[in-house]
Structure formats: C-alpha cells, structure tokens
C-alpha cells in the first residue's frame, strides 16, 4: 500500500473521529450560561452547591438572587428546596408558595409538587394532598391516564410513609384503576401496573401487621413482574420484599433484600439503618443514616428518610 493511500486513510479516519465526536457533543444537553453575578447565574451556582450538600452556601446565593430579582421563579423554587433539606420547613414553604404564584403553565406542576413534598417532610400528608389532588384532577381532565396514575401513587406513598395506610391504600387503588382507563395499554404495561398495585398492597399489608396478606401480594407481584420482563423494573422487587420484611420484624431478611435494591435511594438506606439498629449493630446503622444525609434530592422518599436520619444521628443511634 502506498504512502499516499495510507495518508488518505489516515485523513478519513481522523475526519470520521471528528464527526463521531461532533455527533456525541450534539447529543449532550448543554447547560445554559448566564452573565456572572446575574440572578440566574446565582441560582445555577446555588443548585450545584445544594446537590453537593452545601445548603447554607446555596441559600446565601438564592438570597442574593431574590434581592436582585424578587420575581424570579427559579430562585424561590430552589430556595424552598434547599430550606427543606436544611429542615427549615416553614420558611421553605413561604418560598415554594411564592414559586407557585410565579409559575407559568409549564412550571406550575413542578412548583406544586415541590410544595407537596415540603409538607411530606413534616409528615403532613393531608396538606400535601391538597396540591397533589389538583395535579391529579388536571391530568384526568386531559385524559392523561398514566401520568394521572403516577400522581396517585406519589400521593399514596406520601400517605404511607406518613403512617396513614388507609389513605395510602385508597390512592394506590385509584392509581391502578386510573392507569387501566388507558384503552390501548399494552400487555407489558398492564403487567407493570399490576406489579405496582400488588407491590403497594404488600407494603400496606406489612404496615398493618398482616404478614400473610403481604406475602400473598409479594407472590402476585413477582408473577406480574415476570410477565413485564423488564430488567429496569426488576430492581424494585428487592425493595418491596425488604420493605415487607422490615415492617413484619424480620430484620435480617430485610437487610439481605434491601442490600440488593437501589443503594442511591434514601428510603432504602434509611430502612437499612433502622434494620441494623434493630439487630443491635449501631455502627452500621449510623453509617447508613450518614449515607442518607449525603442524598440531596427533594422527593417523597427523602422527605421521609432525611428527617429520620437526622433524628437518629442526633439521638446517637
């Protein structure tokens, strides 16, 4: 092969590499950039600090942003989120309520869900429901059955972890029935929603100390999951079995099952902490409670797990 041919091949390979890199770059979402020191820039910096667990520093930046732009939706939303993670729920809700007032049609749902989660941090499921129900009703009016059903399950989870198993059951059932209203639901999706419904019933039964019922629903959930045949859903099964084992008092099984579940989920980490605590392993329990506090998400699972972990560590668990 001549040197000229090799040269042409090298150029072709190099061009191909550049095109591949360009294509990859095109697929990556670009973060918006704002003028340094602008309200939007301060909020963006604050979000990064908040995710890193530096809530005090984030709050300081959000305050600056609000001073410069009192009507900036994102500043109030992110301020509320950071304050919730700090445990300052009253102040958090002032900003989240302001975010709801400032929201557009595209951001209103996000603000209302965040406000609902804020109440969940204090175990006030009834107040959280006021906002979640509005979003559910809106999705029903638009015949958006799957997303309406997801809102039911979200509210049900808030009720369950707030200790209200009866309302949790009601909303889980409503979620399953709502999802089933979608006329063209595929067989796989039908099995998926059945898995979610059976899993929910298992957890509710465990919270009501009905161990036999919980095991019956676990078996039904496994049958439905096998029909879904989706590895992404399979990871939720050990969470369900671990959750049930924990609430029926089988802590060793709970630990074995929960360790197979998502180790980035604060609820799973908190349950592991409590399970270890109940087996007398205080050191492991503390490790898991500390791991919970490394998670800086604002959602129903952390709304239960984070206050619990803080309380346990403060008490020297």
């Amino acid at each position: 092969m001549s040197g000229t041919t090799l040269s042409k091949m090298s150029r072709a390979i190099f061009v191909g590499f550049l095109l591949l890199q360009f294509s990859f770059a095109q697929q990556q979402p670009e973060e918006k950039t704002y003028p340094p020191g602008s309200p939007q820039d301060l909020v963006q910096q604050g979000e990064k600090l908040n995710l890193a667990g530096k809530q005090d520093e984030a709050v300081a930046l959000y305050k600056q942003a609000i001073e410069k732009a009192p009507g900036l939706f994102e500043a109030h939303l992110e301020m509320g989120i950071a304050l919730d993670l700090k445990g300052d729920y009253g102040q958090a809700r002032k900003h989240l309520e302001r975010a709801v007032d400032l929201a557009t049609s595209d951001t209103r749902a996000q603000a209302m869900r965040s406000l609902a989660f804020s109440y969940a941090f204090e175990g006030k499921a009834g107040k959280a429901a006021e906002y979640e129900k509005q979003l559910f009703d809106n999705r029903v009016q638009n015949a958006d059955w799957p997303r309406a059903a997801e809102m039911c399950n979200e509210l049900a989870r808030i009720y369950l972890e707030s200790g209200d198993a009866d309302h949790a059951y009601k909303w889980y059932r409503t979620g399953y029935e709502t999802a089933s209203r979608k006329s063209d639901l595929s067989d796989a999706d039908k099995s998926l929603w059945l898995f979610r419904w059976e899993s929910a019933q298992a957890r509710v039964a465990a919270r009501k100390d009905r161990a036999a019922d919980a095991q019956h629903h676990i078996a039904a959930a496994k049958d439905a999951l096998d029909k879904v045949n989706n590895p992404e859903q399979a990871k939720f099964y050990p969470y369900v079995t671990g959750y049930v084992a924990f609430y029926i008092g089988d802590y060793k099984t709970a630990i074995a099952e929960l360790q197979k579940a998502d180790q980035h989920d604060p609820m799973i980490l908190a349950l592991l902490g409590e399970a270890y605590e109940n087996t007398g392993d205080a050191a492991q329990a503390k490790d898991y409670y500390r791991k919970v506090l490394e998670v800086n998400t604002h959602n129903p699972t952390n709304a239960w797990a984070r206050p619990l972990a803080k309380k346990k560590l403060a008490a020297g668990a």
Side-chain angles (χ1 to χ4, degrees):
M1 188 178 293
S2 70
T4 302
T5 303
L6 282 171
S7 179
K8 288 180 178 178
M9 287 180 64
S10 298
R11 285 198 297 271
I13 291 171
F14 180 67
V15 170
F17 174 77
L18 288 178
L19 288 172
L20 181 63
Q21 292 292 94
F22 177 75
S23 175
F24 179 76
Q26 290 291 92
Q27 295 173 18
Q28 303 306 302
E30 288 188 12
E31 184 179 69
K32 288 184 179 179
T33 56
Y34 300 100
S38 66
Q40 294 85 353
D41 175 60
L42 292 169
V43 170
Q44 196 173 76
Q45 290 182 53
E47 287 181 78
K48 293 175 182 177
L49 289 168
N50 189 43
L51 284 173
K54 299 177 180 178
Q55 276 76 45
D56 288 332
E57 294 175 46
V59 165
L61 290 180
Y62 297 143
K63 284 181 179 178
Q64 292 180 44
I66 291 171
E67 287 172 1
K68 293 185 175 184
L72 184 61
F73 165 80
E74 292 82 3
H76 288 282
L77 179 73
E78 297 300 333
M79 174 72 96
I81 289 171
L83 288 170
D84 267 339
L85 294 175
K86 274 173 57 67
D88 193 348
Y89 307 124
Q91 285 299 313
R93 282 196 285 277
K94 289 181 181 180
H95 288 281
L96 292 172
E97 287 168 358
R98 180 63 176 143
V100 170
D101 292 339
L102 293 168
T104 65
S105 57
D106 291 334
T107 59
R108 184 171 176 78
Q110 180 187 13
M112 290 181 71
R113 287 180 71 207
S114 295
L115 186 50
F117 300 161
S118 183
Y119 281 110
F121 269 87
E122 287 192 282
K124 296 179 178 178
K127 292 296 294 183
E130 293 177 13
Y131 300 94
E132 298 261 325
K133 284 178 183 176
Q134 291 181 56
L135 296 172
F136 167 70
D137 290 340
N138 179 262
R139 290 175 181 182
V140 166
Q141 288 171 8
N142 292 310
D144 191 351
W145 307 120
R147 291 180 70 236
E150 288 169 359
M151 191 57 57
C152 291
N153 283 9
E154 183 171 276
L155 177 54
R157 193 167 199 179
I158 291 172
Y159 269 119
L160 187 61
E161 304 316 326
S162 298
D164 189 340
D166 289 332
H167 273 95
Y169 178 85
K170 170 192 169 184
W171 281 100
Y172 276 127
R173 182 181 63 193
T174 302
Y176 179 63
E177 292 171 350
T178 300
S180 300
R181 293 181 69 178
K182 191 174 188 293
S183 59
D184 59 346
L185 207 61
S186 68
D187 288 341
D189 282 340
K190 287 177 183 177
S191 295
L192 174 59
W193 280 102
L194 180 58
F195 167 64
R196 290 170 175 168
W197 171 223
E198 293 293 348
S199 299
Q201 290 181 88
R203 287 181 286 120
V204 170
R207 294 298 292 263
K208 290 188 167 188
D209 297 320
R210 299 202 304 255
D213 286 348
Q215 294 301 333
H216 168 77
H217 288 298
I218 282 178
K222 183 65 168 64
D223 287 342
L225 180 61
D226 289 342
K227 293 175 183 176
V228 174
N229 192 28
N230 184 338
E232 285 300 307
Q233 294 300 319
K235 66 184 180 183
F236 294 106
Y237 182 70
Y239 157 66
V240 178
T241 54
Y243 187 103
V244 168
F246 175 82
Y247 278 104
I248 64 176
D250 185 356
Y251 301 117
K252 289 185 178 179
T253 298
I255 290 168
E257 291 299 298
L258 291 168
Q259 284 178 337
K260 301 174 192 173
D262 183 2
Q263 300 301 294
H264 299 290
D265 186 325
M267 173 169 282
I268 290 167
L269 297 173
L271 285 172
L272 278 164
E274 285 198 293
Y276 273 113
E277 187 178 345
N278 278 288
T279 61
D281 193 337
Q284 282 277 35
K286 286 181 181 178
D287 283 346
Y288 276 102
Y289 294 141
R290 292 189 189 102
K291 288 179 182 179
V292 171
L293 299 185
E294 292 172 4
V295 181
N296 294 286
T297 53
H298 193 255
N299 57 25
T301 60
N302 215 14
W304 173 78
R306 192 178 182 91
L308 173 76
K310 284 183 176 180
K311 182 179 178 181
K312 292 287 187 178
L313 290 171

